[in-house]
Amino acid sequence: MSEPITTDTISATAKIWLWSSGGSASWHFVTIIGAVKVRASIGNTAWNTSLLPHKDSGGWMLPIKASVRKAEGVGAGDDVTLGIALI
């Protein structure tokens, strides 16, 4: 059953590809290329940015602007709690 497209949903078209472990198990994937537009927040500061794919970890990177770091008094090595909403 498909769900309706909302502002919290990403829409993309991609080709399904098959990954096999060599045994009987296999997985079907699609590769989504590019950035995902988000509204991020730390503390009382919110900004529009993009989540960027991080090839080495397979995760996503969130750029944190200097003005956000300054406003919230955070920097490299600090743990922060993020809010992230798709836009």
Side-chain angles (χ1 to χ4, degrees):
M1 178 186 301
S2 68
E3 298 195 18
I5 301 295
T6 68
T7 57
D8 297 327
T9 304
I10 298 169
S11 178
T13 301
K15 190 176 301 262
I16 297 175
W17 56 274
L18 180 66
W19 175 84
S20 177
S21 64
S24 62
S26 61
W27 292 83
H28 290 75
F29 290 92
V30 294
T31 301
I32 307 297
I33 298 172
V36 177
K37 293 182 184 221
V38 298
R39 180 138 180 95
S41 64
I42 297 174
N44 293 319
T45 307
W47 71 105
N48 291 345
T49 189
S50 294
L51 289 176
L52 306 167
H54 186 251
K55 185 177 179 180
D56 293 343
S57 71
W60 296 88
M61 299 184 301
L62 177 74
I64 302 173
K65 302 184 331 180
S67 60
V68 173
R69 296 190 314 268
K70 183 177 179 181
E72 294 299 324
V74 297
D78 292 337
D79 289 328
V80 294
T81 300
L82 300 164
I84 301 172
L86 299 177
I87 55 174

